[in-house]
């Protein structure tokens, strides 16, 4: 039997790291949790709005593999969860090397938290999916067991994707009737905490697997209807409203991703089609859970 006091290191405590942290601290299996942050991190509210049991927060230099190795070994860390944002993806190579060298880490969770990325590197893609896939391929190359979590778009980000954060309207490029996966950050955190604290670390359900979850499937037009947003048709030559040029470009990229039908958690980059029965296939691992939907937020 596995120890109920599993030792977990969470790297990053931002948009998805905090929901995972809250869920881990609320877990009935009471894991020991440490949070690794960059020195000088501006997240001063890290310990606010958390369960009564606060985590240990340790500032670390992600480029110092030796220091990371010593830390993992000293604290007998069994699981490393990366919740790093895109600017920190490359730091995962050092984290993986340290996890492997520590001898204590049994499972590494790379920063996926979105649409499936398996096969993106082999297909020669030059995008965020390929960047994430390369990290997973590196974990394979050093023989470090891993679990990838494919979640689809964060539910709370749908208004942002259509530019409703700027003017309250749903700006849609294309037809807007292609279903895509959305999952709430709270459900993602809860699912991650559940499977990582309740299953043996040698379980075939965890080791070198991809867990595909889904809160619901929805289209952009359905979102607009549910949220009572007026729809504005946007041509390919027009920008979706955003506060910066980077925002506008990312919104256009995500809407193209959705319109092409590649934004479900069942998508496979290798075959360029959805794997039958794969979308949300891991939901059953959280038996009895009622997943949040956009309809319930209004």
């Amino acid at each position: 039997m596995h120890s109920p006091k599993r030792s977990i290191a969470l790297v990053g405590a931002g948009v998805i790291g905090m929901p995972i942290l809250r869920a881990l601290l609320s877990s009935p299996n009471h894991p020991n949790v440490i949070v690794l942050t960059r020195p000088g991190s501006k997240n001063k509210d890290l310990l606010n709005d958390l369960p009564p049991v606060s985590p240990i927060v340790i500032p670390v230099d992600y480029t110092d593999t030796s220091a990371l190795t010593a830390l993992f070994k000293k604290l007998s860390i069994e699981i490393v969860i990366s919740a790093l944002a895109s600017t920190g993806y490359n730091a995962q190579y050092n984290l993986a090397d340290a996890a492997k060298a520590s001898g204590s880490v049994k499972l590494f969770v790379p920063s996926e938290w979105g649409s499936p990325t398996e096969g993106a590197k082999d297909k020669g893609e030059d995008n965020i999916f390929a960047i994430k896939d390369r990290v997973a391929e590196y974990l394979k190359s050093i023989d470090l067991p891993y679990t990838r979590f494919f979640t689809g778009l964060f539910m709370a980000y749908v208004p942002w994707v259509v530019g409703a954060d700027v003017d309250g309207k749903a700006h849609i490029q294309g037809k807007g009737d292609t279903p895509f996966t959305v999952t709430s950050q709270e459900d993602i955190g809860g699912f991650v905490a559940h499977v990582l604290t309740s299953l043996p670390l040698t379980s075939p359900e965890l080791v070198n697997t991809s867990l595909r979850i889904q809160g619901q499937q929805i289209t952009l037009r359905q979102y607009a209807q549910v949220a009572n947003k007026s729809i504005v048709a946007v041509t390919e030559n027009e920008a979706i409203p955003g506060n910066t040029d980077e925002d506008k470009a990312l919104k256009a990229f995500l809407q193209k991703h959705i319109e092409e039908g590649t934004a479900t958690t069942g998508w496979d980059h290798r075959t360029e089609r959805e794997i039958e029965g794969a979308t949300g296939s891991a939901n059953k691992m959280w038996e009895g859970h009622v997943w949040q939907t956009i309809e319930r937020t209004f």
Side-chain angles (χ1 to χ4, degrees), residues 9-159:
L10 175 65
V11 187
V15 170
I16 191 58
M18 284 302 290
I20 293 173
L21 177 59
R22 291 192 183 96
L24 287 170
L25 295 179
S26 301
S27 169
N29 293 315
H30 308 295
N32 293 317
V33 182
I34 69 164
V35 179
L36 305 185
T37 63
R38 291 176 289 102
S41 173
K42 297 180 180 179
N43 193 353
K44 297 179 181 179
D45 299 325
L46 180 63
L47 300 180
N48 293 343
D49 193 29
L50 289 175
V53 180
S54 296
I56 299 171
V57 180
I58 303 177
V60 293
D61 180 355
Y62 297 150
T63 67
D64 193 338
T65 305
S66 296
L68 289 167
T69 301
L71 180 63
F72 292 154
K73 186 179 297 185
K74 177 182 178 181
L75 298 176
S76 300
I77 297 300
E78 298 172 278
I79 304 173
V80 175
I81 303 173
S82 173
L84 293 171
S86 57
T87 54
Y89 287 160
N90 285 337
Q92 293 180 106
Y93 293 98
N94 291 330
L95 288 163
D97 287 340
K100 180 68 175 180
S102 72
S104 64
V105 176
K106 305 296 188 296
L107 193 71
F108 191 100
V109 177
S111 188
E112 295 278 357
W113 321 119
S115 295
T117 63
E118 285 183 352
K121 180 183 75 68
D122 292 341
K123 292 290 288 186
E125 296 182 28
D126 183 21
N127 52 32
I128 191 68
F129 307 125
I131 291 171
K132 291 180 177 181
D133 195 33
R134 288 189 194 101
V135 174
E137 289 296 318
Y138 184 72
L139 298 176
K140 294 178 186 178
S141 74
I142 64 173
D143 197 26
L144 181 61
Y146 62 85
T147 307
R148 301 165 80 170
F149 289 86
F150 298 143
T151 64
L153 187 69
F154 296 158
M155 190 174 289
Y157 277 35
V158 178

